[in-house]
Amino acid sequence: MKISWVTLDRFCEEQRGTDDEIGRLIADNNRPLRSSAADLSDEELLEKLGSFGLHFDRDSLEQLCAGAFSAEEVARPLIKSCGFRSDKEQVEGDWIWICLVSLWQRWWPDKVCLELLDDKIQHGYHELEREGVAVVELWLSAWSDVLHLCDATGIRSIKEFDDRFPMTQSLYNWSQDLEEALWNAGLHDREVLLARAAVCEEALARFPREDQLMTENRRQALAESYFEVGEAGKAEELFERWLAVDPRWGFGWVAWAVCHCAPIGRDRPKDYVRAEQLLRQGYSTPGVRNREAIAEWLEVVCEQTGHKLEAQAFQREAKNLRRQVDQARSEVPPVTISKSFELEDGSDEAVAVRQRTTLEFGGKGLPLDQFPEMTPKAQPTTPGSASHPTKVGRNTPCPCGSGKKFKKCCGMGPLGNKEEHRS
């Protein structure tokens, strides 16, 4: 898998702040990072390019970058043309990309490129930790940039996008985090939930052949958004259509029922009777997937409708089904999972990279285009191993081995993937 220079630069910057040894290596080897250009003027950045025999002014540089989608794709042939030989020269040559991306950011901040898109998304994650509402506008702008890049390149799948534009966080993961951020921020803002519905509709239309779990999660997000803004009829129509095509979608029945028995809007009463009807219909469907989840919800709903004995029966059935699922999963060979990104190890499987990724510089350091070759291979981790904790966070890979985030897979328990907001 390709790793973009902006991602490598970001990793180096983060590691420098937390690892004294890496910080010392960067300083000793005079390795330039994007932050190295922060205090340089436009003229000084152009002079730096000129020191490599690359003489540009603003107009000529704009013409060079006119059809590009990243500063990296412009910098690569320029670096190659310089014919750097020694390690020191190659490391110093990283200034070419740094100057380009810095000037791009200053002169054409509205011109979409990989580096600036990655900045928006990563800045959003930092904002998300402090104030979820503040990230909405930033991430919706980033989503618009993604669509622009898809239009410009003819991309029609998330995998194509992640291959063509390898961001620090993959589009596969970030697009789902975007949906969740819009949900959380939209709990008291109808316009944000409508924006969430629009994002889901656009994603389903543009990327029609994604894996089943992604498609189902996105459909759920679309329908529940419409339900919460008061367009229940539209949500009902969507669920009816999808479940008519695939009646074995277990979480579809659950999500539909949850809209009725655990609504967010204070002015909408809970309709346990309708929820029970939907859950029973799903539960009785031959071959329905995730039947244990439907049984868990039937236990909850039957308790509320006064069917105590049936609630107890569904509780026993849910436990039995869950036990069967856990046993089946334990018999499946472990699947390696990537937390943030994957590195090729020469086989068909990818090695897992943990939360902390160590980059070894060695010698006088490496130029950006050689980093992927030298990034150490992390040991694969499997669910239940000493290095893989039993307790799984909602944003970590699901221990079932699906490769999806826990909240989007087995984390859909009896309160669905919006448990913290239901009352």
Side-chain angles (χ1 to χ4, degrees), residues 222-240:
L222 173 59
E224 71 183 3
S225 296
Y226 278 128
F227 209 101
E228 294 303 333
V229 298
E231 297 188 27
K234 194 165 187 175
E236 296 270 340
E237 181 183 345
L238 289 171
F239 276 125
E240 286 178 0

Side-chain angles (χ1 to χ4, degrees), residues 186-354:
L187 293 179
H188 306 290
D189 190 332
R190 186 175 187 273
E191 293 305 313
V192 174
L193 284 181
L194 286 174
R196 182 177 189 248
V199 167
C200 292
E201 287 182 324
E202 185 73 41
L204 287 169
R206 282 181 177 267
F207 313 126
R209 291 179 293 278
E210 295 306 310
D211 64 71
Q212 184 180 45
L213 184 61
M214 167 70 82
T215 299
E216 290 176 349
N217 285 336
R218 193 149 279 153
R219 285 176 172 176
Q220 176 189 333
L222 173 59
E224 71 183 3
S225 296
Y226 278 128
F227 209 101
E228 294 303 333
V229 298
E231 297 188 27
K234 194 165 187 175
E236 296 270 340
E237 181 183 345
L238 289 171
F239 276 125
E240 286 178 0
R241 187 205 319 159
W242 294 329
L243 286 166
V245 174
D246 181 14
R248 296 192 301 168
W249 177 25
F251 280 131
W253 294 107
V254 170
W256 194 357
V258 167
C259 286
H260 286 282
C261 66
I264 297 298
R266 296 180 180 179
D267 57 338
R268 291 193 295 106
K270 298 179 180 181
D271 189 348
Y272 287 107
V273 174
R274 174 61 170 156
E276 183 177 350
Q277 176 189 16
L278 292 169
L279 290 168
R280 286 183 181 275
Q281 186 176 349
Y283 191 77
S284 63
T285 299
V288 68
R289 300 185 296 279
N290 304 108
R291 199 162 183 258
E292 71 284 357
I294 303 178
E296 290 170 350
W297 262 105
L298 277 167
E299 175 198 348
V300 173
V301 172
C302 285
E303 283 281 354
Q304 296 295 328
T305 56
H307 302 150
K308 304 296 184 183
L309 293 179
E310 287 187 276
Q312 294 173 7
F314 280 120
Q315 181 185 52
R316 291 192 294 271
E317 182 65 8
K319 288 182 178 179
N320 181 51
L321 289 169
R322 183 66 69 183
R323 190 179 305 113
Q324 293 176 23
V325 171
D326 291 342
Q327 181 179 356
R329 286 173 177 163
S330 68
E331 295 173 355
V332 176
V335 178
T336 55
I337 310 169
S338 169
K339 183 174 180 63
S340 53
F341 65 95
E342 296 176 347
L343 297 174
E344 296 178 354
D345 64 350
S347 68
D348 292 334
E349 294 183 347
V351 295
V353 179
R354 304 303 296 165

Side-chain angles (χ1 to χ4, degrees), residues 44-153:
E44 288 173 321
L45 291 173
L46 289 175
E47 288 176 6
K48 178 68 75 171
L49 287 173
S51 68
F52 298 105
L54 304 171
H55 301 287
F56 297 103
D57 56 20
R58 180 165 180 166
D59 290 339
S60 59
L61 195 57
E62 183 173 11
Q63 184 177 358
L64 180 66
C65 298
F69 301 115
S70 72
E72 178 178 339
E73 68 180 83
V74 178
R76 280 186 179 276
L78 295 178
I79 291 174
K80 185 176 181 180
S81 70
C82 291
F84 298 124
R85 297 183 179 181
S86 69
D87 290 344
K88 182 177 181 181
E89 288 179 345
Q90 291 175 343
V91 169
E92 185 70 13
D94 287 348
W95 269 108
I96 296 174
W97 171 74
I98 292 171
C99 290
L100 287 177
V101 73
S102 299
L103 292 171
W104 191 314
Q105 186 173 26
R106 297 178 190 184
W107 291 346
W108 319 298
D110 296 326
K111 176 177 166 58
V112 181
C113 72
L114 167 62
E115 291 87 356
L116 301 192
L117 170 60
D118 196 73
D119 287 347
K120 284 185 183 180
I121 291 174
Q122 292 309 118
H123 182 61
Y125 277 113
H126 292 305
E127 288 295 317
L128 203 59
E129 296 174 359
R130 298 192 295 272
E131 179 55 60
V133 177
V135 78
V136 169
E137 185 176 352
L138 183 64
W139 271 7
L140 285 176
S141 173
W143 175 249
S144 179
D145 291 347
V146 168
L147 300 183
H148 174 87
L149 290 174
C150 288
D151 288 337
T153 57

